Amino acid sequence: MIIHLKKNIKEPEAKKIAKLTESIIYKKNNFFILITPSKLKEPPVEFKNKIADYFTMENDMQLSSKNYSKKTREINFKNFSIGGNSNKTLLITGPCSVESIDQITKSAEFVKELNLTTLRAGCYKPRTSPYSFQGLGLEGLKILSKIKKKYNLNIISEVRDASHVDEVIEHVDIIQIGAKAMYDHGILKKCGKQNKPVLLKRGFGSNLKEFIQAAEFILSGGNENVMLCERGIRTFETYTRFTLDLCGVSYIKEYTNLPIILDTSHAMGYSYGVPDLTRACVAMGIDGLLIESHPNPKIAKSDAAQQLDFNEFKNMFNSLKPIAKAVGKDII
Ligand code: PEP
Ligand code: MN
């Protein structure tokens, strides 16, 4: 159950009620929100006069649930928003990893050329092998900061573990939590205690319940700006890198209030399939896309096989616009 306490309830009393109801508590503007275990179906009578509003829940998908808010949450950026009443599909692109200032400059100029708003590149890469390129770390974040100022772009980059969350938060506009980090409670909790938008990727071995409950860790910390990212799950199929779960996307749209971003690059794993897959996603009427592109994918230090070159990306982008329009969306 989610309980909105009355505005006149001060912190010590709110905390006392939270303790007695075994709730997580956070403050929203000028009132406190309690999230009790979902098995509680009626607010305790002794607190009834302290409650402004309450929402009964079927399970532990609470703050993310349509039972709490029918509308998709609105995530606000400098000049636009997604979710809520917005009809925008946010197209995020950039290379898998920051490799050099020259590479990121080219990517930023490409994003600008297409009139897009948001550049993505990783600095802390969660690689499968310790012998692969691990990312430039803080040096990469500094490159992104410079480019952000120069080109006035929104920047998104990922956290790999809790040790550098603060560093990433300081340098970026959107924090990406990668598929392998989805279960890292240190990261989830830190991201819940700040307000920048978080793009949470689905672990490739996680079901929807586990994915959405990971988002609940961030939401229940008080950060209302969470976006879910479907990036493919592991199935018996090996000819493609992962299997993009579009049925899961329908579930998320129907039952949760969280914006949904589709990452076709990591799902497919091969650039040849990315444009088709992306067109299929846009036709679903989604809140955003994450597509990897690189000035020269052949020499990319990570995920070389799946990144589109600028020409491939431009062709795909042009083909997306009419599809977006057909479902009432506008790509930004
Ligand atoms: C990435 O976005 O470059 C990445 C490593 O993705 P994922 O966490 O989905 O594997
Ligand atoms: Mn990648």
Side-chain angles (χ1 to χ4, degrees):
M1 171 179 294
I2 300 170
I3 296 172
H4 289 186
L5 292 179
K6 287 185 175 163
K7 288 186 179 128
N8 63 338
I9 307 296
K10 300 274 177 293
E11 187 165 349
E13 191 175 13
K15 282 192 166 157
K16 209 166 110 195
I17 301 172
K19 197 164 179 210
L20 290 166
T21 51
E22 296 175 7
S23 301
I24 292 181
I25 177 169
Y26 74 90
K27 191 171 185 186
K28 179 182 168 120
N29 307 327
N30 53 358
F31 66 95
F32 286 92
I33 296 183
L34 309 184
I35 308 107
T36 77
S38 53
K39 62 176 190 282
L40 189 70
K41 302 298 179 197
E42 274 298 320
V45 277
E46 64 270 37
F47 305 127
K48 267 207 163 140
N49 61 346
K50 307 194 188 313
I51 292 174
D53 210 352
Y54 68 90
F55 308 81
T56 309
M57 296 292 152
E58 278 152 34
N59 53 41
D60 274 353
M61 290 184 260
Q62 302 206 61
L63 293 162
S64 60
S65 167
K66 278 261 191 326
N67 285 352
Y68 183 47
S69 159
K70 289 252 174 312
K71 240 189 208 167
T72 305
R73 283 164 188 265
E74 185 164 320
I75 313 284
N76 295 302
F77 301 95
K78 256 172 280 169
N79 302 317
F80 66 94
S81 61
I82 61 167
N85 291 326
S86 164
N87 69 339
K88 304 289 184 215
T89 294
L90 173 62
L91 176 48
I92 302 168
T93 192
C96 181
S97 301
V98 176
E99 297 167 8
S100 67
I101 181 99
D102 175 57
Q103 170 229 26
I104 294 298
T105 302
K106 285 184 178 135
S107 289
E109 286 177 354
F110 181 60
V111 169
K112 279 292 195 195
E113 183 193 326
L114 299 185
N115 266 327
L116 295 174
T117 57
T118 309
L119 175 70
R120 191 206 77 124
C123 301
Y124 291 96
K125 299 304 299 180
R127 305 306 300 278
T128 307
S129 163
Y131 310 116
S132 305
F133 177 62
Q134 305 291 305
L136 295 182
L138 183 57
E139 184 193 338
L141 288 174
K142 287 183 179 162
I143 291 176
L144 288 177
S145 279
K146 235 184 243 165
I147 293 292
K148 169 188 161 64
K149 279 196 204 102
K150 184 164 173 199
Y151 293 94
N152 191 27
L153 290 167
N154 289 318
I155 296 288
I156 162 164
S157 195
E158 72 194 281
V159 288
R160 183 178 58 210
D161 60 66
S163 69
H164 53 257
V165 183
D166 297 329
E167 224 173 70
V168 174
I169 291 170
E170 187 191 327
H171 287 86
V172 307
D173 303 289
I174 307 170
I175 301 136
Q176 174 180 323
I177 301 177
K180 290 172 188 149
M182 188 205 89
Y183 284 111
D184 186 324
H185 288 188
I187 293 177
L188 297 173
K189 286 190 173 168
K190 275 211 160 177
C191 286
K193 291 292 170 211
Q194 55 86 49
N195 275 321
K196 286 193 174 170
V198 176
L199 181 141
L200 177 67
K201 285 191 161 199
R202 179 178 182 179
F204 50 72
S206 310
N207 61 29
L208 290 167
K209 186 176 177 185
E210 291 160 337
F211 182 27
I212 296 163
Q213 287 193 347
E216 292 277 339
F217 273 94
I218 306 170
L219 296 165
S220 63
N223 185 351
E224 305 196 322
N225 303 308
V226 179
M227 302 170 274
L228 297 179
C229 177
E230 165 60 37
R231 47 77 73 210
I233 51 174
R234 180 158 284 163
T235 64
F236 52 80
E237 187 50 69
T238 55
Y239 281 8
T240 57
R241 192 176 182 192
F242 294 97
T243 299
L244 191 66
D245 182 10
L246 295 186
C247 299
V249 172
S250 278
Y251 178 91
I252 286 164
K253 286 176 66 176
E254 183 70 15
Y255 290 103
T256 83
N257 58 40
L258 301 178
I260 176 79
I261 313 292
L262 271 290
D263 170 356
T264 52
S265 299
H266 292 86
M268 184 68 208
Y270 302 98
S271 60
Y272 76 85
V274 171
D276 270 352
L277 210 50
T278 305
R279 284 186 279 271
C281 291
V282 170
M284 290 187 78
I286 51 172
D287 302 292
L289 290 160
L290 191 164
I291 318 284
E292 287 189 340
S293 60
H294 192 288
N296 185 359
K298 282 190 202 75
I299 59 161
K301 293 191 173 182
S302 58
D303 286 348
Q306 70 194 32
Q307 303 198 56
L308 301 184
D309 67 27
F310 291 168
N311 226 6
E312 290 167 330
F313 190 93
K314 219 184 280 182
N315 289 336
M316 179 195 70
F317 179 50
N318 288 331
S319 76
L320 299 179
K321 291 176 192 171
I323 301 171
K325 199 166 167 220
V327 295
K329 291 279 188 182
D330 179 27
I331 298 179
I332 188 164

